[in-house]
Amino acid sequence: QVELRESGGGLVQAGDSLRLSCTAYGRAFSSAAMGWFRQAPGTEREFVAAISLIAGSTYYADSVKGRFIVSTGGAENSMYLQMRKLKPEDTAVYYCAAGFRVSSLEYEYDLWGQGTQVTVSS
């Protein structure tokens, strides 16, 4: 009965930065991994970044590597996505997710937020 909530989306210009947040609310949060996915209109949802809550290791899609950083809060119930040098191609609804193993595969996650819109203009 844990709920994930994303925030921090908005409209920015290419080259700008934006920080997304995802916080778990409800009962004790026991997921071992959290990740970020995004979906643009007319496309399938794709992997962006993930972090192991056990080992702290991080993983990134090639399209965002070097520009985005995923991290967690001290309470281990919040996850952040620091996005830098944003491009119009980054425009999408961004979703946070939690699961029991770190993965780039959507089906490995069983808890999802509602999404937050990120729009990058040129």
Side-chain angles (χ1 to χ4, degrees), residues 50-108:
I51 184 167
S52 169
L53 303 184
I54 304 301
S57 51
T58 57
Y59 305 86
Y60 300 92
D62 288 341
S63 59
V64 306
K65 195 172 299 182
R67 297 189 297 121
F68 292 8
I69 298 175
V70 62
S71 62
T72 57
E76 300 297 328
N77 66 339
S78 294
M79 177 180 63
Y80 307 95
L81 185 67
Q82 178 64 58
M83 305 184 291
R84 298 184 177 90
K85 301 177 70 174
L86 283 162
K87 306 174 181 179
E89 307 92 88
D90 296 318
T91 296
V93 176
Y94 283 70
Y95 299 88
C96 67
F100 297 104
R101 70 189 74 186
V102 64
S103 175
S104 63
L105 303 175
E106 183 176 341
Y107 68 80
E108 296 278 13

